[in-house]
Amino acid sequence: MSKKSENKVLAQNKKASHDYFIEDTYECGLVLTGTEIKSLRQGRANIGDAFATIRNGEAFVHNMHISPFEQGNRHNPGDPTRARKLLLKKAEINKLFGLAKQEGYTLVPLKVYVRNGFAKLLLGLGKGKKQYDKRDTAAKRDAQRDIQRALREKQKIAR
């Protein structure tokens, strides 16, 4: 028996951690049509500009680009950036709706991956960063890098 791929990351939103403080994450399923899963497994997806909304008790992801499958047939969807439904439990949707309504919070797709043969999307509850927050984060990262560099140099000298 072959073991199915576990958490193979297909698309990742690297700008999300730069632009938002991610406070909580939720794993949700994706409703895909036609040959979208084949294209997704080839890594032909982009979630850089994507965002999620909740309407009528259902969650949707918008601006998630999945390129049409090249060897596709008539079941290829026409619009690669159409809104796709997210599969979440009703309690999670209600909780996210209440949290995302607060000022400054938004639902940000963080990554798309395959778990046990199903396409999943990691959805983060993000609070927007101001410009000075971004500079502060960059300064901390640079300081941590300098500390690690100094420790490596000290270990080289000790040898």
Side-chain angles (χ1 to χ4, degrees), residues 10-84:
L10 305 172
Q12 195 166 6
N13 188 355
K14 294 181 180 179
K15 277 178 43 178
S17 63
H18 182 262
D19 293 337
Y20 300 98
F21 293 113
I22 304 300
E23 296 188 1
D24 203 3
T25 59
Y26 297 89
E27 180 184 66
C28 49
L30 277 169
V31 176
L32 301 173
T33 60
T35 56
E36 284 182 328
I37 187 65
K38 292 182 178 186
S39 183
L40 194 65
R41 285 179 192 270
Q42 288 181 345
R44 304 199 45 184
N46 182 6
I47 59 172
D49 297 330
F51 63 96
T53 59
I54 297 177
R55 283 189 314 236
N56 301 328
E58 295 179 330
F60 294 93
V61 64
H62 301 275
N63 288 347
M64 178 178 158
H65 188 278
I66 298 178
S67 299
F69 188 59
E70 291 171 354
Q71 291 84 30
N73 51 15
R74 63 183 174 164
H75 298 291
N76 260 351
D79 184 19
T81 59
R82 68 180 181 83
R84 291 169 179 86

Side-chain angles (χ1 to χ4, degrees), residues 148-159:
Q148 292 299 325
R149 188 178 300 126
L151 287 174
R152 276 197 308 271
E153 290 297 323
K154 188 174 183 179
Q155 287 176 349
K156 285 182 182 178
I157 293 171
R159 289 183 186 173

